[in-house]
Every structure is written in C-alpha cells, then in structure tokens.
C-alpha cells in the first residue's frame, strides 16, 4: 500500500471546504499509507464531520473497488434522534437544480460513483420494522447482512443487552464483517460502564475491546473527544483500534500533560516572565512536542505527534459567537458580553444577573432547607432510601415553579416539604412569574422587537430565529406558554400591519386570496404530474400514509390533493402571510391575485411539484428487478419522503418544543419547520436536541436557559447553530440566563473553567486564544491590564502549550 | 523554677485542640508586642479566643495588637502586682499563677516560677474547687475597683470571663483527694498573716526566701517595718532552739543595683545566710518569688507575685499594700524538707553562698503621687466616639488635652476643663482617628497612640501620659492590622457558622476578604458586600451554623457552658442582623424564623438533658436572647405573608424564652 497516490484519490471528490478535504486526505493517509485500522474525526461542532466521514468511505470504496476486498458493507451507528439526519444526508438523491442542494450524493453524482450511490440508496435502518427476513447471506462461514448497502443502527441494539430477543438481522449484524463502521457522537461510547460503552467493550473493560464491534475501518465522529477526563480520549482511541503500544504512550503522556497543566494553572497568576511559570510552560512544550514521556522512554514522540496519528480536529474561528450574560438593568434585561476565556468570576460577581428576590428567594431558601432535611433524614434512617440528588432538585427550583411543583422532593413526608409545597402553590396561584421565565420573555421580546425593526428596513432579510436550550420538561411547558404570549403580542400586530400595508383589508382577506391561489397552483401541479406519470402512480393509499402524520379520509387519493390540503394550512399561517406581504412590498408588487400567485409559485408550488415528481419517479414508479410493483423498501422510502414533505408543510405555533415528550415525527416536523422561514420562531430544545441535529439555517440567537455541567455538552448545544449552512448574518448570539447568588453561578463557573482547560488540551479556538497580546497597542498604559493578563496564557505560551490536531 | 514552664505550651495542652472562649491576664508591666507574638496571636488564630483581656499596671506598652483589650489598673494606693493568667474553654478553666509578667522577661528572659492548674471534670490531680472560687472572687474585687477607670463595656467583658469560669466551677465536683493548695491574695488580709495562719502553731526552724526584690533601707521606717527583722522575730512562731542560719535569702546579686536591706542584714548577722544567683550557670535573671516556712511538723510554702517586701506581704491592699496573689500549700515537714526543696528547685545549683561584705545602704527614691492617670481609652467604631476613663489626683490640673500621636505631628482630638481631683471621664468625637486604607479602601485607625497632657491654671503642661486606645468590638477576629472590619466582615449569617469552622479558617476567611478588597480596589471594581454575595452562602451559613450548634449541644447534652456559649453566639448573630441595614428583608425574615425555631427546639430539649433544668435556663440569658430576637426588624418591604410567617415563628420562640426566663430567675434569685 506504500504507493497510494493520495492526491489522485482525493481528487475524485470535492467537498465544499478546504478544511474538510484536508481532513479527508489526512484520514486516508492514516488508513491507507500508515495502515491504521481507524481514526477519530474530532472536528469542532459544525465543521462538517458527517460529510468528511462519508467522503472517506466513498474514497475507500473507490480505492478498493478493483481489489478482491471491496467495500461492500458500511455500518453507521447513530443515536435515534439523529437517524433522520443521517437518512437525509445519505439517501437523498443529488438534486437536479443547484439551489436546492442537500445530501451527500451531490458529491458522488458522476457515473464513476454509480456503485457507491447504489449503496447509499440502499440505506437501511435496522430496527423492528424491517427484520431482514430471508435476506441473510452466508459468507465466510457465517450469516451476514446483505452486501452493498449502508446500514444504520441505534447503539443500544448493538450493546448485546437483549441478545435473547434480537431479530435475525441483529444477530447477523454482530457477525457481519463490516468494511467501514462510522460511529457518530462517539464520545458516548467511552464510558465503559455504560450500555453504549458495551458496544465496543462488552465486558466493560479496556481488554474486552477485542470482543466488541469490529470493522475493517473504523471512523469515530465526535466534536468533544473527551467530556470530563482525558482517559475518555484514550478509550476513544481504543474504539478506533489504536495499537496498545501507542495507547500506553498516549495515556501516559496525557496524564503527564494534565499534571503539568495543573502545575501551570497554579502559577498562572505569576508574571509571564516568572521563572516558575516559564518552567511550567517549557515542561508543557517539551511534553507536547519533544517527548510525551518526559524522558521516561527512549525515543518517544511528543504528545501532539502521537495524538495526531489518531485524532484529526478542524477548529473554527471563535469570533463566530458572541457570548453574553443576561443581567437586569433599569427594570429590563440587557446583555453583558464576555469572552469565554476571560476570568469570569469578577464579571459574574459584578453583574446583577437575574436577581432572585422576595418570594423567589423565600422559596429557594425553603427548598434548600427541605433538601438538607431530606438528606439528614436519609442519613439517620436505616432504610434503603437514598439521599436525594440535591443539585437536581435545586435546579428544578431555579428552572420554574411548574417544574418544582412536580419535584419528588416536595412529595416527601417531611414537615418543611409540605410547607414549601404550599408556598410554591401559592406563588403559582397568584400568577407570580418565575424570575427566569420573566427574564427569558423580556429577552425574547427584545429580540423580536429588533427583528421586526430590521424587517421594516429590509423586508427581504427574513426573521432570525431563536433557539432556547432547557433540560426540564415541566419548564418547557411553562416556557412555551409564556413565550407564545410574548411573541404573539409583539408579532401579531406587526403581521396585521404589514398585511394591511400590502393592500389587503385584513388577515382573512389575505388568507382567502392565498387559498384561491393555491387551488390554482394545485391544478397546475396536477397537470404537470399527470403529463409525466400514469394516473395509477399518482394515487396514494391510506396504508402508505400510515405514520407520516397525514390523515386520509378515503382509501386512496391523489398525492397532489393530500399535499395541497396540507399546504393550505401551512400557507395561511401569520408568518407566511407576513413573508408574503414583505416580499410583495420588497418587489413593489401588488397584493393582487397575480402577485400572490407568483409568490406561492416561487415559494411553494414549484418546489412541491418537484418533490412530488421525485417521489413518484424514484419510489412509487420504481420497477424492481424481482417484478414487485412496490417493494417494501421503496414504500418505506416513499413514506419517509412524504412524511418529510408533510412535516415541512405543517403549521406549528410560534414557539415549539423539541424534546422527549413528543412523538419523534412531531419532533422532526418542528425541527424542519424551524429550519424554514416560518413558524416556529422559537424552538425549545431539551437534551434530545443537544447533539448532532441541524438547527442552524435561520437561527441567530441561542439562549441557554439552563447550564449543563459538561462543557462538551454546552459546545454541542452551540454547535447546533454555529455550523455549516447557517444563513443568518453575523455572529451567533449566545446568551446565558443565570440566577444571581444561586447554585447556577457555581455550575457556570465550573463549566467555564473546565472549558478553558479543555481548549488548551485539545486545541480549540486558536484565534481567540491567540488574540490578546497582539491586539494591544504598544503604548497602552500597563498596570491593571498586565495583572489581568497574567491569569491568562500569553500568545507565546499558547503557541507552546496548545495541542494542535488540525489536519 | 529550673524546670521551664512555657505559658503557651501549657495553654496549648489545656485547649486540646478545641476552642478557648475567654482569656484574661493580670500583669505588672506589659509588653504588648511580645505578648501578642508569644501568646495572643496564637491563641486567637489557633483557638479562636475572642477579645483577650489584660489588666496591667507599671510600664505598659500596649503594642499593636488591636484585638487585645488592655486596661490599666488604678495606681491610687499600693502597686497592682498580681500575675495571673486565666483561660476558659468548654467545661474547663486554666489558671497560671506565679511570678511571670506578660513582658519579654516574664515570657522567657527571666527565671520565673509559674504554676499551671487545670480545673476540669476529668483532670487527674484536680486542685480543690476553692482555688478557682477564690481566684474568681479575687478577679471580681479587681473588676469592682476598675469602675471609674474603664468603660462599662470593657468591665462587662471581664465579668463575662468570670461568669463563664463560674459556670465551669458550678459543674465541677469536689475532688475526692486533693492537696492543701490554696489561692491567696492581699485584698482582705496581709499575705504574711495568711501564711502564718496556714502554718498554724507548729514551731518554725528555718525560713527560705527566694526573691528578686527586697525592702529598702529607709531611715523613716520603724524597725517593725522591716519585713526581714519581723520575720526573724515575732513574725513567726520560732522554735526556741532554732539553729543559725535561721533564714536563707536567695537573691539576684550583692552589689551595685541590687537592693538589699543593709540595715536589717547587719542587725541580724549570722542568722541570715545570703545566697546569690549572679555567678551561677543560669543566665536568666531571677524573678521568681517564694517563701518556705519549715516547721517541726509542717512546711508551708507561698509563691506567686509577692516579693519579700512589707508592701507585698505585711499590708493588705486596703491598708495601702500591694495587690498581690499567689498560691499557698502546707505539707508535712518530712515531705518537704529544706534539702528536698533545694533539690526540687535546684537552689544549690542556682545560688551560691555569699561570703563577702554587705552592699552599700541605698535610699529609696521618693515615690511621687501621680498627677492623673488614664485607665482606658475606648474607641467605638460605630459611633466614632472616644471615651476616656481615669482619675485625677492633683489639685493643679485645670485642663486636659487629648492628642493623636502621628509621630511627627500631633493632632488635637479633644480638650476638656477639669476641676481638680476625681474621676476622669471625657468623651470626644474622634473621627480624625480614622483614615481610609489606601490598599483596601476600608476604614482603618491612623494611629493607635494617644497622648494626654494635663495643664495647670497657668497653661503649663504639668503631666503627660501616653496610652494606646482600645477598640470596642465584639470579636477580636474582626480586627486585622488596623482595619476596622466590623459588621461588614462578619455579618449576621456568617456569624452563625463559626462552630463549624475552626478559628484558623475564620482568620483565613478574613484574610481572604481583605485580599479581595485589595484586589477589587486594584481593579477599581465595586465589591459586593457579603449579604449580597450569595444566597447559597447565606443559606449554608444559617442552616449549617444552626445544625452544627444543635449537634454540638446534643453531644454535650446541653451542658451549662455550651448553653451559655450558644446563647451568646445567637445574640451576636441577631445583633449583627439588627444592625445590618443592607440585609435583604427576605433573608432577615428567614434568619429570624430559623433562629426562632431553633431556639424553640433547644429549649424544649433542655428538660431532657438536665435533671435540674432551672439551672440550665438560668445560664442562657433568656432575657437578653429575647431582646436580641425581638430587635431584628421584620420589614414590610416583602410580601406580608413572608413577614407573617417569620413573626409567627418568632412569637413561638419568644414564648418559650419567656417561660425559660421565669424558671431561670428562680435559681438566680
């Protein structure tokens, strides 16, 4: 394999970004030239890891297509919440017109890739719906899954916990000799004790990796190669089958490097030219570049070189995000900007944040008492009642009273619990708004107001949306209610005003015109489809629509009717009318039937028509080799695509939730609608949506209603928006909501502290880390400024200690 | 004497790692810096002693340790000469009695005799209870004498120590077998008389005296005024055939500078053997004092503060003698023979028989009556009033000027006309004493030294005294350097934690706060006061503090001492809450409600802990606790329901306090 021409190989594919291609090349170098079994793609969130992984797979396929060992079976291990995304990326055919690009197939559209596209088209999710009956194939002396396909599977199906009741396909799955395994969000698999950990480490020990899921090539995808401890990173390298002698060196090196970092951290207040501080930096530099073993091992490499073998990490420019804290000011709430690597304690200390006062402080103090009571009671009792998780209960209180009211702690038989519950009920019954909800509503109101002002100036700009992260379910309900009111109150009058300004008498007038225009559009599309396909292919059955979120009264109707009915609802929502009114105004068109027709044709009709044609063309009108009219798989694909269209054409409220309380198709609907210019304007996202999914298209504002302990998770949250494909202008506004003087301050500091050091260890945000010294004009008076700078890394120090894993 | 007793080591042993709640020292001469270094700072920082007190006379250098409260004993009659150290911890009292002053000499440079005694339930060789009782009576008499000489606040502090020790004493059993140790002092009866009484009718064969100072030759004195002659004659029931030398005098030296009564020595001749220390191997200067009376059957010892002088031994303080104190003990003659004593104290090694000529006779200098004296100047950081207490003796004094001593220049703080002899009491607004500390931006005292100048009617300065001011603060730990930290350092909620935090931690917390102030100042950022700092911190302080106190009380089954401390701590916390106007009303309501229900809980538990609950109720100052609890204002700036909740809890607390107060008074009455 020594003579692989990587330049030639990589020239077969052209991902959009240079950094993506650099990662692909580096990966192929590792796999083909250095003959490694796998590697970790650890790009920061939003750099396009999915496409990198698919491109590497494609090029491996291409490289081996003439050899005896072809790439025929690809497995993608992905979380259930991300399944749809993977399908979209893998399965969607190359779009015919460039403007509507989506999916990976666009990069492998040419003839040479037909075989590979075939694999992608045959993407199969392994689960209960498709048990693969009769499709197992005996190869290498065992039953394996059929070749020439991409398989998608949820991790828990693989963990072997339910061997007994696994369907044949799952059994085959485990026996199959996989050519490429792509593990998405691979950091979930590094905790050996967890169920996911057992996918690769069946006995929960590092040694049991040999018996875990194996493949010829392994690609692990994660933006956060370690969450809390660097040993997780070592397990990650085990997943991608890094050889033991390297692992040992890396583990040892990481331990030494972390110790040296601690050492440096203790000295960070010293002046940069202090001997002790300098020595600490030199030590780090030595470990990083010269010898990870610190002289303990002859001929060892530096830690950076060792890690680079197995970890590739593209980093982004940190200037893409503006961070701020929410703080009360003159009765309202304002943003207090901060930079992530600032010394945040004085900033937080000096800021009023969101004050917790009066009744709210009273409840908080009572709850704290209850928690201590409960803890003491459980310590005293011999019974097996476990001490309650104090932090969790406190966070409920800090989240909302609706949440707190349902908290288990208040249901306990403790004298103060009852008292506290009464206080909480009283607070709720008086309509007292939780300070954080009040703050969030105020902030959202301000954003909506600004956005409206901007729309007045630039009608074509589009509304920049708001993403709110919140982990607690009851709170999500309360937030949705409160925010809906806030947004409605602000945006309702504006819509009406614009609709009138465009020339309609009122909203209903506009709606009526939209409906009639849609009816015309429907006939146009019907005609187009009728000309293309036989009538029998245009009819859809109730059975086919099952599970798509569409209802059908009769047994069978034309697909065009089903969709246009849906579209009618969608196109009469206020935000649609608003966009239409703004568009008309922007183009100086009349609000007459022609204008409406034009808008609808451009924004709905044409696309809908194309999509329906594709569905019919690709799936319903498919003629499989076996001669079946509609194969199960094709039907499933059609169903998925119809469901997608149906989702897009939904009419959600201004504020929508994306969490475990909805069925997954509802969730998907909201996600897709959020990525489009209409409602919802605000998406309330729980842990379910923290990873992997795309929410970036129209989003500008990211509000952390609560804080996760883990900086990696916070990074993942922000990665939902700060990623490739965002259409909004300017940096993403990331805003924190912290209650003054409470537990939240502590969580925040912990997270930010961890974050700062992780960034050094795995080399993120180089731009931000590097700025500082050179940004300072020479003649600026020193003194306090120097003091402040002492706590941070200087530019030279950064250059010396940051581990750089860029490809 | 030869075996070195280091005061701090003894206290250290006594403390057993716990908290020492009170400490007081009586001394003649005081070197504040030396004492702070050797005793006070370690006690404050290691054992959390609050407000150590010193009552001193003679040459007093208060030093810079503001946390130590120094009072000057009146000089009116005899010399205030006792040396006594008293420390109180949970259910135990430590006393050190001997010859050592809190001066550089007393703390190491001199050869002293110091007897540490521990009064505690589990003490093996416990002395009789009467020893402690008499010590406390003695202290009480001293406090009575301070009345016009010190601020009521300071006197109250001394009484608090006595009271705490009394509560310990009340809980002590009489040891079954104990020595014949007695505490003696010179207030009511001359010490010599007490010595003779203790020895009884057993005929005396020999007297050994160790003393650095003696009576002086004074032609004005009658022969009977020579203690030496008196002791050799009718002062003791001498045996008919007592051998010469009847008396061995152990002195510092014979020669220049050593005051020995040449006249008396000459007239007594070979009856007195003179031993000097000067040329011995012991480099430390003799300062120990001891009188040993050897009889046929018994030996009686007296040691402590009195030198071998008439003023110390022959006259009671009421008769113009010194204020002295010491320990006395009588044993069988067989147990303590002259040889045994000599061996025990290494007298034969430390002293050598003097064979040479007697020293020159020296006239004592005339003792001048002082013109005036300031006993205490107390600065109240809250009101910024300086209160000066003392006494004027001279008719000539017409006016008094109080000056802040700023080294190079002096600033007039107050000027007051005076009308001759009588108590001195001046109050002056003394904001000039303060300045802003440039480093922290906090208030601090500019100077600790104040001069008092007395002028006569002609405007001539006729006398001057310099003294350091005391600072009125509830907790010595609140003072660091010259910073007046006061309530802002330890606010109501923070005061509730100390039992959980060791003193070192509290000191460290203060230091941290000071460095925060400095940092904040450096960064020109506004510091948030502690109350606003963290609701979580507030909660932990209140809840953790109250829980820790409850556990502490339970562990000690509500011992009287722990109840006294408990009440004291709660009062301080409540007082701080009352004063702290910046405290958020919700927090205040919470504090009141929780402290009140805590009080209710504790009082309800007392009958279960004590067979005699009345006594327990009597120590906890129900009345004062009631006042403190009631004084915290529950403002209406929060929702009325919150205030109502807190009021209801407080009313329940006040009700149980009222009934506790009633049954407590029965006992005290």
């Amino acid at each position: 394999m020594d003579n692989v021409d990587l330049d030639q190989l990589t020239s077969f594919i052209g991902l959009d970004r240079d950094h993506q291609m650099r990662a692909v090349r580096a990966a192929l170098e590792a796999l083909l030239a250095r003959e490694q079994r796998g590697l970790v793609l650890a790009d920061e969130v939003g750099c396009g890891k999915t496409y990198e992984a698919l491109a590497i797979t494609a090029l491996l396929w291409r490289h081996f297509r003439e050899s005896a060992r072809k790439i025929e079976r690809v497995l993608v291990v992905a979380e259930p919440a991300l399944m749809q995304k993977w399908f979209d990326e893998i399965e969607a055919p190359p779009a015919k017109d460039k403007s509507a690009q989506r999916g990976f197939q666009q990069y492998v559209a040419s003839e040479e890739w037909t075989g590979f596209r075939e694999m992608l088209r045959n993407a199969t999710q392994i689960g209960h719906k498709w048990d693969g009956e009769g499709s197992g194939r005996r190869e290498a002396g065992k039953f394996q899954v059929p070749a020439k396909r991409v398989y998608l599977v949820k991790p828990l199906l693989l963990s072997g916990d339910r061997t007994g009741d696994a369907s044949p396909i799952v059994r085959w799955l485990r026996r199959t000799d996989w050519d490429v395994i792509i593990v998405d969000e691979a950091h979930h698999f590094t905790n050996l004790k967890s169920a996911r950990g057992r996918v690769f480490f069946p006995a929960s020990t590092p040694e049991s990796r040999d018996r875990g899921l194996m493949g010829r090539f392994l690609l692990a995808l994660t933006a956060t190669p370690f969450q809390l401890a660097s040993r997780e990173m070592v397990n990650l390298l085990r997943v991608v089958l890094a050889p033991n002698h390297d692992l040992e060196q890396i583990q040892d090196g990481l331990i030494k490097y972390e110790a040296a970092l601690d050492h440096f951290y203790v000295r960070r207040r010293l002046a940069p030219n202090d001997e002790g501080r300098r020595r600490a930096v030199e030590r780090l530099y030595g470990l990083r570049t010269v010898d990870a073993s610190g002289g303990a091992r002859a001929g060892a490499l530096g830690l950076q070189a060792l890690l680079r073998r197995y970890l590739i990490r593209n980093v982004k420019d940190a200037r893409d995000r503006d961070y701020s804290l929410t703080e009360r000011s003159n009765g309202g709430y304002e943003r207090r900007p901060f930079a992530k690597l600032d010394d945040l304690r004085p900033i937080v200390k000096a800021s009023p944040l969101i004050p917790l006062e009066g009744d709210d402080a009273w409840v908080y103090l009572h709850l704290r008492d209850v928690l201590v009571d409960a803890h003491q009671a459980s310590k005293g009792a011999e019974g097996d009642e476990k001490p309650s998780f104090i932090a969790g209960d406190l966070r409920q209180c800090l989240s909302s009273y609706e949440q707190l009211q349902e908290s288990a702690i208040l249901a306990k038989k403790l004298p103060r619990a009852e008292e506290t519950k009464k206080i909480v009920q009283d607070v709720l019954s008086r309509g007292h708004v939780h300070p954080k909800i009040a703050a969030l509503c105020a902030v959202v109101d301000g954003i909506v107001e600004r956005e409206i002002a901007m729309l007045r100036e630039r009608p074509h700009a589009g509304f920049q949306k708001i993403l709110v992260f919140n982990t607690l379910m009851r709170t999500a309900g309360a937030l949705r209610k409160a925010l809906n009111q806030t947004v409605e109150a602000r945006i309702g009058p504006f819509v009406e005003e614009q609709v009138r300004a465009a020339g309609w008498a009122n909203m209903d007038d506009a709606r009526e015109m939209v409906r009639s225009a849609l009816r015309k559009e429907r006939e146009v599309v019907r005609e187009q489809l009728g000309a293309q396909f036989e009538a029998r292919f245009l009819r859809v059955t109730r059975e086919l629509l099952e599970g798509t979120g569409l209802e059908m009264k009769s047994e069978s109707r034309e697909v065009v009717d089903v969709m246009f009915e849906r579209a009618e609802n969608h196109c009469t929502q206020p935000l649609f009318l608003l966009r239409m009114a703004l568009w008309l105004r922007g183009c100086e068109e009349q609000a007459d039937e022609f204008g409406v027709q034009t808008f609808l044709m451009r924004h709905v009709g044409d696309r809908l028509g194309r999509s329906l044609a594709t569905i019919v063309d690709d799936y319903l009108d498919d003629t499989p080799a076996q001669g079946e009219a509609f194969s199960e798989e094709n039907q499933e694909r059609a169903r998925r695509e119809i469901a997608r269209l149906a989702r897009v054409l939904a009419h959600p409220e201004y504020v929508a939730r994306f969490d475990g309380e909805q069925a997954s198709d509802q969730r998907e609907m909201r996600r897709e609608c959020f990525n489009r210019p209409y409602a919802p304007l605000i998406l309330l996202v729980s842990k379910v949506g923290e990873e992997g999914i795309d929410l970036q298209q129209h989003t500008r504002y990211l509000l952390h209603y609560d804080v996760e302990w883990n900086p990696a998770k916070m990074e993942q949250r922000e990665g939902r928006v700060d990623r490739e494909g965002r259409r909004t202008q300017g940096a993403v506004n990331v805003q924190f909501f912290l209650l003054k003087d409470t537990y939240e301050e502590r969580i925040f500091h912990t997270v930010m502290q961890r974050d700062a050091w992780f960034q050094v260890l795995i080399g993120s945000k180089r731009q931000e880390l590097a700025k500082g010294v050179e940004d300072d004009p020479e003649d600026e008076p020193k003194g306090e400024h120097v003091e402040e700078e002492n706590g941070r890394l200087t530019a030279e120090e950064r250059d010396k200690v940051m581990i750089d894993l860029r490809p | 004497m030869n075996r070195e007793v280091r005061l701090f080591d003894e206290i250290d042993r006594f403390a057993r790692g716990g908290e020492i709640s009170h400490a007081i020292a009586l001394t003649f001469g005081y070197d504040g810096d030396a004492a702070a270094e050797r005793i006070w700072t370690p006690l404050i920082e290691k054992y959390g002693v609050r407000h150590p007190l010193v009552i001193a006379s003679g040459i007093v250098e208060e030093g810079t340790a503001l946390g130590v409260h120094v009072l000057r004993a009146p000089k009116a009659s005899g010399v205030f000469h006792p040396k006594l150290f008293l420390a109180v911890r949970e259910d135990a009292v430590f006393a050190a009695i001997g010859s050592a002053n809190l001066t550089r000499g007393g703390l190491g440079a001199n050869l002293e005799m110091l007897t540490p005694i521990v009064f505690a339930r589990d003490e093996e060789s416990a002395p009789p209870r009467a020893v402690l009782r008499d010590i406390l009576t003695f202290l009480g008499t001293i406090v009575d004498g301070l009345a016009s000489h010190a601020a009521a606040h300071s006197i109250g502090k001394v009484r608090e120590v006595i009271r705490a020790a009394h509560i310990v004493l009340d809980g002590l059993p009489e040891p079954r077998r104990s020595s014949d140790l007695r505490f003696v002092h010179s207030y009511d009866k001359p010490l010599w008389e007490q010595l003779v009484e203790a020895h009884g009718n057993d005929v005396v064969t020999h007297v050994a005296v160790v003393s650095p100072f003696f009576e002086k030759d004074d032609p004005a004195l009658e022969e009977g005024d020579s203690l030496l002659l008196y002791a050799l004659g009718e002062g003791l029931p001498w045996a008919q055939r007592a051998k010469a030398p009847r008396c061995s005098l152990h002195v510092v030296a014979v020669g220049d500078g050593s005051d020995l009564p040449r006249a008396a020595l000459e007239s007594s001749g070979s009856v007195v053997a003179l031993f000097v220390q000067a040329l011995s191997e012991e480099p430390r200067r003799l300062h120990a004092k001891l009188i040993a009376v050897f009889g046929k059957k018994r030996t009686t010892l007296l040691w402590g503060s009195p030198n071998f002088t008439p003023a110390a031994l022959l006259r009671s303080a009421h008769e113009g003698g010194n204020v002295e104190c010491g320990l006395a003990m009588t044993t069988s003659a067989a147990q303590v023979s002259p040889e045994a004593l000599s061996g025990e104290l290494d007298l034969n090694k430390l002293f050598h028989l003097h064979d040479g000529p007697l020293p020159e006779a020296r006239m004592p200098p005339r003792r001048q009556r002082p013109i005036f004296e300031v006993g205490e100047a107390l600065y109240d950081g809250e009101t910024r009033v300086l209160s000066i207490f003392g006494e004027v003796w001279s008719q000539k004094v017409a006016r008094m000027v109080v000056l802040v001593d700023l080294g190079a220049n002096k600033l007039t703080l107050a000027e007051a006309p005076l009308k001759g002899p009588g108590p001195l009491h001046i109050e002056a607004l003394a904001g000039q004493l303060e300045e802003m500390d440039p480093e922290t931006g906090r208030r601090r005292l500019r100077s600790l030294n104040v001069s008092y100048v007395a002028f006569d009617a002609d405007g001539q300065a006729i006398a001057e005294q310099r003294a350091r001011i005391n600072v009125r603060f509830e907790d010595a730990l609140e003072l660091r350097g010259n910073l007046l930290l006061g309530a802002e350092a330890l606010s109501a909620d923070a005061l509730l934690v100390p039992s959980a935090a060791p003193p070192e931690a509290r000191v460290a917390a203060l230091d941290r706060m000071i460095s925060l102030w400095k940092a904040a100042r450096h960064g020109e950022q506004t510091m948030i006061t502690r109350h606003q700092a963290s609701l979580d911190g507030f909660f932990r302080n209140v809840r953790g503090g109250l829980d820790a106190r409850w556990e502490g009380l339970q562990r000690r089954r509500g011992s009287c001492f722990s109840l006294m401390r408990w009440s004291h701590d709660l009062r301080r916390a409540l007082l701080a809450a009352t004063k702290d106007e910046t405290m958020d009303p919700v927090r205040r309501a919470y504090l009141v409600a929780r402290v009140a229900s805590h009080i209710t809980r504790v009082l309800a538990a007392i009958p279960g802990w004590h067979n005699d609950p009345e006594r327990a109720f009597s120590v906890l100052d129900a009345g004062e606790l009631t006042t403190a609890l009631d004084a915290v204002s529950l403002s209406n700036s929060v929702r009325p329901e919150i205030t109502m909740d807190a009021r209801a809890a407080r009313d329940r607390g006040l009700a149980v306090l009222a009934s506790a107060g009633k049954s407590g008074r029965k006992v005290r009455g």
Side-chain angles (χ1 to χ4, degrees), chain A residues 349 364 368-369 373 741, chain B residues 528 532-533 536 543 590 594:
Chain A
K349 202 153 198 180
Y364 186 74
R368 291 222 55 160
D369 264 324
D373 288 348
D741 290 346
Chain B
I528 304 152
Q532 267 70 48
D536 265 350
R543 173 76 197 227
Y590 176 84
R594 287 293 179 263

Side-chain angles (χ1 to χ4, degrees), chain A residues 132-165:
Chain A
E133 196 68 51
S135 312
R137 199 178 282 187
R138 208 173 168 80
E139 248 177 65
K142 55 189 179 182
F143 269 103
Q144 303 197 13
V145 297
K148 294 186 180 152
R149 282 167 189 256
V150 176
Y151 292 85
L152 287 97
V153 67
K154 302 171 190 176
L156 291 182
L157 266 185
L158 291 165
S159 61
D161 283 5
R162 291 169 20 211
T163 320
D165 61 8

Side-chain angles (χ1 to χ4, degrees), chain B residues 110-138:
Chain B
N110 289 347
L111 188 60
E112 307 274 8
M113 233 172 122
L114 188 72
T115 305
I117 312 172
V118 174
F119 301 91
R121 199 170 268 279
D122 51 357
E123 188 63 23
E124 271 178 27
S125 52
R129 291 176 77 236
V131 173
L132 181 54
R133 187 196 62 211
D134 294 345
I135 290 175
L136 297 180
T137 312
F138 172 64

Side-chain angles (χ1 to χ4, degrees), chain A residues 263-264 267 270-283:
Chain A
H263 198 66
F264 172 76
R267 284 159 185 74
L270 299 173
N273 56 3
D274 178 273
E275 184 59 24
R277 177 164 170 164
R278 249 176 18 76
R279 267 205 306 276
V281 170
E282 284 306 321
R283 161 97 177 147

Side-chain angles (χ1 to χ4, degrees), chain A residues 346 349-350 356 358-359 361-362 364-366 368-369 372-373 376 416 426 430 741-743 784, chain B residues 516 522 524-525 528 532-536 538-540 543 547 586-587 589-590 594 639 642 645:
Chain A
K349 202 153 198 180
L356 190 82
D359 277 330
W362 191 242
Y364 186 74
L365 289 170
H366 274 74
R368 291 222 55 160
D369 264 324
V372 177
D373 288 348
Q376 287 175 351
R416 286 208 186 101
D426 178 51
R430 281 187 291 113
D741 290 346
T742 65
Y743 198 67
E784 288 152 20
Chain B
L516 265 178
H522 206 254
E524 294 303 337
Q525 282 161 333
I528 304 152
Q532 267 70 48
S534 165
L535 192 60
D536 265 350
F538 167 79
F539 172 79
R540 274 195 296 276
R543 173 76 197 227
D547 280 355
V586 169
R587 296 182 191 196
Y590 176 84
R594 287 293 179 263
R639 213 158 50 76
I642 293 181
D645 278 5

